[in-house]
Amino acid sequence: MYRINENYQKLPGSYLFSTIAKKVAAYTEANPGRSIIRLGIGDVTQPLTGPVIEALHSAVDEMGKAETFRGYAPDLGYAFLREAIAENDFRARGCDISPDEIFVSDGAKCDSGNIQELFAADSKIAVCDPVYPVYVDSNVMAGRTGTYDPATGYWSDVIYMPCTEANGFVADLPDETPDLIYLCFPNNPTGTAITKDRLADWVRYARENGAVIIYDAAYEAYISEENVPHSVYEIEGARECAIEIRSFSKNAGFTGLRLGYTVVPRDLRCGDVSLNAMWARRHGTKYNGAPYIVQKAGAACYTDEGKASIRGLVAHYMKNARTIKEGLKSFGYTVYGGVNSPYIWLKTPDGMSSWEFFDFLLENAGVVGTPGAGFGPNGEGFFRLTAFGTYENSLAALERIKAL
Ligand code: MLT
C-alpha cells in the first residue's frame, strides 16, 4: 500500500495567494458587477515590450523552418542567454560570474522552492519574518521543519528572524546558527532594501558559520538608491557562500512567459563537493530547459532597446509606487517600502488585524491587497499593496481608500 509524503499534511491551509484568490472569487460571485481593483499578488499588468515581442515572433518563425528548428534546449540554458546574463547582470557591476555558473529556468519561484534539494534533510533554515511563503513551505514539504503551531504561526525547527519597524525590516543576525539563510532583497513583502554594509555582515556571518545564503534578488530592477547592492556577488566572499536567484517576471513582465535563473558559483563547495555540479546534475535529471522562444525573448532584454524598454516598465510601476505611498501617507497611514521596490507595506489602521483590514478593504473599497500576517507573525498589523497595477487603477484605489 502506497503512503504519501506526510509532510504535505503538515501544511496549514492553501498557498497564501491561492487563499486570497478564493476569497476574492467568493466575494465577486456574491457581489456580481462590483468593480474590484487587484493590488494583491505581485503580477504585472503592462504588456511585453516591443523588443521582446519581436524576439518572440522571430523565434517562432525559426521554429517553423526545418533549418532553424530547435528541439530540446540545453538543460542549463542556451549559451546566448547565459552569456548575456553574465555580462550584463554581473560583470557590468563588477561581479565575477561566468556563464557556466548560470542556470536558466522557468522562473524564480520554482528555483527558490527547488534549491533546498541540494541540502541535507536535517539542515536548519533561517528565514525572515515576514517572508515569501515559498521558502518555508518548500522546506516543510521536504521534511526539514517540525510542526506548525497555529497559536503562534511558527514552525518548530525553523529559525525566524524578525523584521520589524524597530530594525527597519532588515533582519539582525540570528542567535542560533542556521545552515541555510534565505534573504530576499529588495524584500518581498516589506519593500525594504539592504545596504552593502549590512549585506557584507551577512556574507561574513555565513562564511564564519559555514552557512549558505540563498539570495532572492527577483526585484533587483527596482533598486534606485546608491549603496544598495544589486547582487550578493558585489560583496567580497559571496562566491564561497551564496546562491542568487533572479527573475524576468518583475522587470520584463514575464509572469506569463516564465523565465528566471539561478547562479551557483564554482567556489561554493561543501568539502570537495561542488554545489554547481550538484545543481547541474539536478537540472539534467529533472528539467528540460526553458523554451527556446522564451530564452530568445530573455536575451532581447539585454539589447540596448531591450534595456530601455525595461527601464520604461520599471519607471511605470515605480510611478505607481510613489503615487500609492505618498497618497496613503497624506491620508495618515504609516507606510514603508515603495522606494527600491514595487511593494508598499502599510500599517493597518485602527488596530485592525491584517485579515480584518483585507476584508474591510475588499468589502468597502473593492480593493484587494495582501494581509501581512499571511507572510508570517511579524507581518500581523501590516498590509501589502503592489505597484504592479495600471496607473489608473492605482489612482482609483487611492480614491477609494481615501473615501473610507
Ligand atoms: C507575490 O505577490 O509575492 C509574488 O507575485 C509572488 C511570486 O512572484 O511568486
Side-chain angles (χ1 to χ4, degrees):
M1 179 69 185
Y2 73 87
R3 289 164 57 231
I4 56 163
N5 176 354
E6 290 290 344
N7 296 312
Y8 276 67
Q9 303 306 102
K10 295 185 191 171
L11 288 163
S14 54
Y15 182 60
L16 173 62
F17 293 104
S18 314
T19 306
I20 291 172
K22 277 184 214 142
K23 267 181 163 272
V24 175
Y27 180 81
T28 316
E29 200 181 318
N31 299 273
R34 177 86 207 268
S35 130
I36 304 283
I37 299 176
R38 292 166 202 271
L39 303 180
I41 191 164
D43 196 3
V44 294
T45 51
Q46 292 300 297
L48 297 170
T49 65
V52 166
I53 291 294
E54 265 175 44
L56 284 168
H57 280 303
S58 104
V60 167
D61 288 343
E62 282 182 67
M63 293 295 265
K65 295 188 200 109
E67 34 319 338
T68 45
F69 169 77
R70 314 268 175 148
Y72 289 128
D75 40 55
L76 308 188
Y78 281 100
F80 63 76
L81 179 57
R82 299 164 86 200
E83 276 156 19
I85 291 169
E87 192 51 46
N88 291 280
D89 287 349
F90 297 100
R91 287 182 183 147
R93 293 198 178 277
C95 304
D96 171 24
I97 293 295
S98 57
D100 63 3
E101 296 174 312
I102 291 162
F103 297 78
V104 174
S105 73
D106 59 356
K109 181 180 183 179
C110 314
D111 283 357
S112 60
N114 290 329
I115 197 77
Q116 46 75 29
E117 280 186 29
L118 297 189
F119 303 96
D122 60 355
S123 304
K124 197 70 172 264
I125 66 161
V127 294
C128 294
D129 169 24
V131 68
Y132 178 46
V134 171
Y135 315 149
V136 177
D137 288 4
S138 56
N139 277 286
V140 172
M141 292 168 177
R144 212 168 273 114
T145 60
T147 47
Y148 181 70
D149 180 354
T152 61
Y154 288 127
W155 290 89
S156 59
D157 298 334
V158 172
I159 301 170
Y160 287 93
M161 307 182 291
C163 296
T164 62
E165 284 177 292
N167 62 18
F169 303 104
V170 176
D172 298 314
L173 300 174
D175 297 331
E176 201 185 334
T177 310
D179 301 303
L180 306 179
I181 302 164
Y182 284 86
L183 295 179
C184 172
F185 288 109
N187 185 255
N188 180 15
T190 66
T192 317
I194 193 167
T195 61
K196 266 195 182 148
D197 288 351
R198 292 295 295 276
L199 189 55
D201 290 343
W202 278 104
V203 168
R204 197 177 316 114
Y205 175 86
R207 294 180 72 196
E208 281 168 9
N209 290 281
V212 171
I213 296 173
I214 297 167
Y215 194 76
D216 183 346
Y219 299 91
E220 170 276 334
Y222 291 85
I223 294 171
S224 63
E225 291 183 320
E226 290 294 315
N227 201 30
V228 173
H230 287 249
S231 163
V232 71
Y233 304 114
E234 289 179 41
I235 310 296
E236 207 185 316
R239 283 184 53 85
E240 286 149 43
C241 68
I243 289 171
E244 182 162 312
I245 298 172
R246 293 273 192 110
S247 169
F248 286 77
S249 290
K250 315 293 175 172
N251 55 351
F254 280 30
T255 54
L257 210 52
R258 306 308 308 153
L259 192 65
Y261 66 87
T262 286
V263 183
V264 188
R266 293 204 172 275
D267 296 350
L268 184 58
R269 305 182 73 85
C270 185
D272 56 5
V273 177
S274 153
L275 273 76
N276 178 290
M278 285 176 75
W279 193 237
R281 185 70 174 84
R282 193 250 175 219
H283 256 250
T285 302
K286 294 196 175 182
Y287 192 57
N288 259 336
Y292 173 69
I293 59 172
V294 179
Q295 294 197 46
K296 275 300 217 187
C301 298
Y302 294 105
T303 62
D304 288 346
E305 300 75 37
K307 286 180 194 169
S309 74
I310 287 173
R311 281 197 295 275
L313 287 179
V314 169
H316 173 93
Y317 294 130
M318 285 314 284
K319 182 176 165 197
N320 293 348
R322 272 192 305 279
T323 307
I324 296 171
K325 183 169 185 174
E326 293 315 314
L328 289 174
K329 270 163 86 176
S330 75
F331 311 153
Y333 284 82
T334 303
V335 194
Y336 300 95
V339 176
N340 295 294
S341 156
Y343 291 130
I344 316 291
W345 188 241
L346 58 123
K347 257 180 131 159
T348 55
D350 307 323
M352 269 190 245
S353 75
S354 299
W355 281 104
E356 279 167 359
F357 188 61
F358 173 88
D359 290 333
F360 176 78
L361 207 59
L362 179 58
E363 281 156 26
N364 297 288
V367 173
V368 180
T370 309
F375 298 99
N378 269 299
E380 183 53 279
F382 288 89
F383 198 76
R384 195 193 76 177
L385 290 175
T386 102
F388 284 125
T390 60
Y391 183 59
E392 295 67 34
N393 272 347
S394 304
L395 284 180
L398 268 182
E399 283 307 311
R400 293 183 188 187
I401 293 172
K402 188 178 178 185
L404 286 172

